[in-house]
Amino acid sequence: MSHFPDDRRSLAAIERDLSRDDPDLVARMDTLNQRLAEQQGARLAEPTPRRDRRVVLAVVLGAVALLALLLTAVLGSSSSRGGDEPGGRPAAVSTTSSRARVMPAGF
């Protein structure tokens, strides 16, 4: 069972009693309510710029991808210089033979 209508009646009775007992309080509350309404109306009238999360995410991911591309280019160009020198070997070349040794059956 909901007590919501009873609560509203009780609050309305308290409000009537306060307004009858203290008219200055009623005047202050009316002034505050008017100021609050004006401030909220002014806030709603001014559009605030909002950034779309997808746009921000796309820009951040693009910046990270660009940074990764630049780092790859810089680090890749410095490591490839070693293979161009005389006597130098490229990093991917192995010096061991790739053939497997077969052991005789009776050994």
Side-chain angles (χ1 to χ4, degrees):
M1 183 177 252
S2 176
H3 296 287
F4 187 69
D6 294 335
D7 292 341
R8 282 188 170 220
R9 278 187 243 135
S10 297
L11 289 172
I14 292 171
E15 185 179 354
R16 280 192 305 272
D17 291 341
L18 281 175
S19 63
R20 185 177 50 231
D21 293 342
D22 195 357
D24 291 336
L25 177 64
V26 172
R28 287 182 192 159
M29 292 304 293
D30 287 340
T31 303
L32 287 174
N33 285 333
Q34 288 174 357
R35 286 183 186 174
L36 182 63
E38 289 171 2
Q39 289 174 354
Q40 285 180 345
R43 285 185 196 152
L44 293 176
E46 298 174 6
T48 57
R50 297 188 75 168
R51 294 187 178 115
D52 189 16
R53 287 184 179 181
R54 288 177 282 180
V55 172
V56 172
L57 181 64
V59 169
V60 169
L61 287 177
V64 168
L66 182 64
L67 181 64
L69 183 65
L70 288 174
L71 283 174
T72 303
V74 168
L75 295 176
S77 68
S78 66
S79 66
S80 67
R81 289 184 193 156
D84 294 341
E85 295 176 2
R89 287 183 295 225
V93 175
S94 174
T95 58
T96 61
S97 174
S98 62
R99 286 192 231 161
R101 293 187 182 179
V102 179
M103 299 292 281
F107 198 24

